[in-house]
Amino acid sequence: MLNTLMRISIMMFIWLATLSAYAQEFDPNSSEFDPDKQFVITPFGAIMGDPVQVKVLGKDKVGFTVVTVTPTSDGVTAMLSIIEPQQNGEPGGGHALMMSLVEVEQLMKLLNDTQNADVVSLENYGEHHKLVGRVTEPNAPMGEIAVLFNAKDVERNNIRIVHILGGTPQLFEFSAAGIEKLIRQIGHYVEKAETTAEATKL
């Protein structure tokens, strides 16, 4: 019995030490993406993979990206999930943006475009935003997705992705470093899915 308890204690110590190491490695301001990370420890708990930290506007919440790309007969389908852990005494939640391969490639192009865009010259999107570009059309079955700037942010410090589904918009705000990391995160999983799809062709 004592030996069993000792083994359990040792395993718990190793597990906690591992969690501590992950916690020290996670940097919400990093632009680097590590595909080998299984999860990270954030102030709000464990999140799968190596996520990008994002502000969920209108909810006063912090979210984290999880990217899933699945091979299909037509190429791949991608889902960008925003996980909202429990915080501020409120339960957790989430949001999912579904995209085809063409749409996710358009998203990555627009995210890259934000790096050098002239905010002032961009087309207005509503009263408070400038449009970098549309990922999907307004009447798309899975909702409209577009990449935006805050019209007042001429320094390009914050980039926003809007998802309008059922007439209700939800805005997600990323730092410039976060956008760099998101591009790497999406790109990794798209490439991995395409490689898998190619390898399993008959």
Side-chain angles (χ1 to χ4, degrees):
M1 179 68 175
L2 184 60
N3 288 338
T4 301
L5 289 174
M6 188 175 294
R7 284 197 296 269
I8 292 173
S9 297
I10 291 171
M11 291 172 65
M12 287 293 292
F13 175 80
I14 293 172
W15 181 71
L16 289 170
T18 302
L19 292 186
S20 176
Y22 273 111
Q24 292 172 4
E25 291 175 8
F26 180 66
D27 178 1
N29 300 310
S30 174
S31 63
E32 298 301 317
F33 171 68
D34 183 353
D36 294 326
K37 283 187 178 178
Q38 299 299 308
F39 63 92
V40 294
I41 302 300
T42 74
F44 310 100
I47 303 293
M48 291 176 56
D50 185 17
V52 179
Q53 186 165 305
V54 54
K55 290 182 181 178
V56 184
L57 300 183
K59 292 188 178 182
D60 192 27
K61 279 191 173 184
V62 173
F64 298 90
T65 61
V66 174
V67 176
T68 307
V69 183
T70 307
T72 70
S73 57
D74 298 321
V76 303
T77 59
M79 181 168 71
L80 171 59
S81 299
I82 309 295
I83 306 301
E84 303 169 13
Q86 181 177 351
Q87 55 198 279
N88 303 328
E90 297 182 4
H95 202 89
L97 289 72
M98 295 291 298
M99 290 166 282
S100 66
L101 177 60
V102 171
E103 289 165 349
V104 80
E105 287 178 340
Q106 172 70 355
L107 174 61
M108 291 179 65
K109 175 188 179 299
L110 294 175
L111 296 179
N112 274 300
D113 288 348
T114 64
Q115 308 299 297
N116 300 302
D118 178 1
V119 179
V120 176
S121 66
L122 294 176
E123 173 189 341
N124 289 330
Y125 186 96
E127 296 181 8
H128 306 292
H129 292 90
K130 293 284 189 173
L131 177 66
V132 180
R134 297 181 189 273
V135 177
T136 65
E137 294 303 314
N139 59 351
M142 300 305 295
E144 176 184 353
I145 302 172
V147 177
L148 314 171
F149 281 113
N150 180 341
K152 297 180 180 179
D153 183 17
V154 295
E155 299 300 322
R156 304 192 306 273
N157 292 321
N158 296 293
I159 298 96
R160 296 174 174 177
I161 295 176
V162 64
H163 185 208
I164 304 175
L165 186 61
T168 302
Q170 178 61 65
L171 282 159
F172 306 99
E173 184 174 274
F174 298 81
S175 67
I179 287 296
E180 289 185 46
K181 183 174 181 178
L182 182 59
I183 292 168
R184 293 186 173 106
Q185 184 184 29
I186 295 173
H188 168 76
Y189 289 110
V190 168
E191 181 179 353
K192 184 176 179 180
E194 289 180 326
T195 301
T196 300
E198 185 65 29
T200 55
K201 281 184 178 178
L202 296 178

